[in-house]
Amino acid sequence: MQNIEKNLNHIRAQIVAAAEAHDRDPDSVLLLAVSKRKPASDIRTAFEFGQQHFGENYLQEAQQKMRELEDLDICWHFIGAIQSNKTRDIASDFDWAHCIDRIKIARRLSEQRPAGMPPLNVCIQVNIDHEDSKAGIDLAEVAELAAAIQDLPGIRLRGLMTIPAPRASFEEQRPAFALLAQALADLRQQGIDCDTLSMGMTQDMEAAIAEGSTLVRIGTAIFGERTLIRLSALSARATWQPA
Ligand SMILES: *Cc1c(COP(=O)(O)O)cnc(C)c1O
């Protein structure tokens, strides 16, 4: 078995085990394979083993891979920070954007979503541990931004996303995820129709699932460690080489 297939099987089994351990339906947790800095050929391999959702952080890099993988029915998620000058391409090339943290970006994505495409699925990024190094808004600001996004026809608010500060143990990891889950419940209580908790990575997946994650973003555990590479080396045919 190839590594990617083995890794995917392992992660899928871990998701099932975590869901069952916490009385959840395993099918309610979507696996997003984070393929940043990995070649199109790795994505193709994962797709052949049944993986359909892929997450990318860098626009140009993602677009290069999309061109090589045009023949595959992939659902593309943008999980990086979004600058104003990137919104047009993100609105036209992606199915999801996970890191919305201001209304200006949300408005641009909505206006620039091409007519004829379904609304772009978006999540609001919450900086749950108030870290200077991370993007996202405070929990107290979520309701207002969510309400504003509701009025935008080109995007659809699906829920909340977060990257908590790293913590060593399962028990220590849970509270931050519980806060995000509560915030989603509050939005629904206000009548905002959303269903997604984008939370949990390789190191804290079980705690996220225990607290209700519906989408885990996993890179390294599927594709292996990332090295810095030249953009030109991302082609399926080029050899992999350090920058
Ligand atoms: C890179 C990245 C991931 C995946 O991280 P791994 O540690 O490789 O599993 C998940 N979410 C976001 C937002 C990322 O940028």
Side-chain angles (χ1 to χ4, degrees), residues 34 36 57 79 99 161 163 200-202 217-221 226:
V34 177
K36 63 179 173 217
N57 296 54
I79 59 169
C99 302
M161 177 271 200
I163 309 170
M201 302 174 35
T202 302
R217 306 178 310 266
I218 309 292
T220 310
R226 290 178 287 271

Side-chain angles (χ1 to χ4, degrees), residues 33-39 55 57-58 61 65 79 201-202 217-229 240:
V34 177
S35 44
K36 63 179 173 217
R37 301 212 190 107
K38 293 293 171 179
N57 296 54
Y58 310 104
E61 179 191 320
K65 291 181 235 181
I79 59 169
M201 302 174 35
T202 302
R217 306 178 310 266
I218 309 292
T220 310
I222 297 172
F223 298 110
E225 293 293 335
R226 290 178 287 271
T227 46
L228 280 175
I229 44 119
W240 202 238

Side-chain angles (χ1 to χ4, degrees), residues 139 160 177-187 189 197 211:
L139 278 177
L160 303 174
F177 293 130
L179 284 174
L180 202 74
Q182 185 57 52
L184 188 82
D186 291 347
L187 288 180
Q189 188 103 55
L197 282 172
E211 295 297 346

Side-chain angles (χ1 to χ4, degrees), residues 49-202:
F49 296 126
Q51 180 63 33
Q52 202 195 355
H53 292 259
F54 292 88
E56 291 280 342
N57 296 54
Y58 310 104
L59 179 62
Q60 247 195 311
E61 179 191 320
Q63 287 174 321
Q64 190 175 321
K65 291 181 235 181
M66 285 172 182
R67 282 192 288 274
E68 289 186 47
L69 300 166
E70 254 168 2
D71 56 313
L72 305 183
D73 183 21
I74 287 176
C75 187
W76 293 102
H77 296 240
F78 194 79
I79 59 169
I82 304 177
Q83 288 129 22
S84 292
N85 63 351
K86 305 277 168 60
T87 52
R88 185 171 299 280
D89 282 6
I90 290 169
S92 61
D93 293 353
F94 285 83
D95 302 292
W96 284 71
H98 288 240
C99 302
I100 307 300
D101 61 1
R102 51 197 198 276
I103 188 62
K104 180 185 163 200
I105 295 294
R107 282 207 193 98
R108 289 176 67 97
L109 289 171
S110 177
E111 282 160 14
Q112 294 168 346
R113 182 71 167 171
M117 287 179 90
L120 178 72
N121 296 296
V122 303
C123 292
I124 293 173
Q125 183 174 0
V126 177
N127 188 350
I128 202 83
D129 289 309
H130 315 284
E131 294 171 280
D132 291 340
S133 61
K134 284 188 186 139
I137 61 174
D138 284 347
L139 278 177
E141 302 167 317
V142 166
E144 190 184 338
L145 181 56
I149 289 175
Q150 284 269 288
D151 296 333
L152 302 173
I155 64 178
R156 176 172 169 216
L157 182 65
R158 293 298 300 269
L160 303 174
M161 177 271 200
T162 199
I163 309 170
R167 295 183 176 90
S169 75
F170 172 76
E171 287 305 331
E172 289 169 306
Q173 289 166 357
R174 287 184 74 154
F177 293 130
L179 284 174
L180 202 74
Q182 185 57 52
L184 188 82
D186 291 347
L187 288 180
R188 291 162 62 100
Q189 188 103 55
Q190 287 164 42
I192 294 181
D193 172 30
C194 49
D195 57 10
T196 299
L197 282 172
S198 169
M199 59 188 199
M201 302 174 35
T202 302

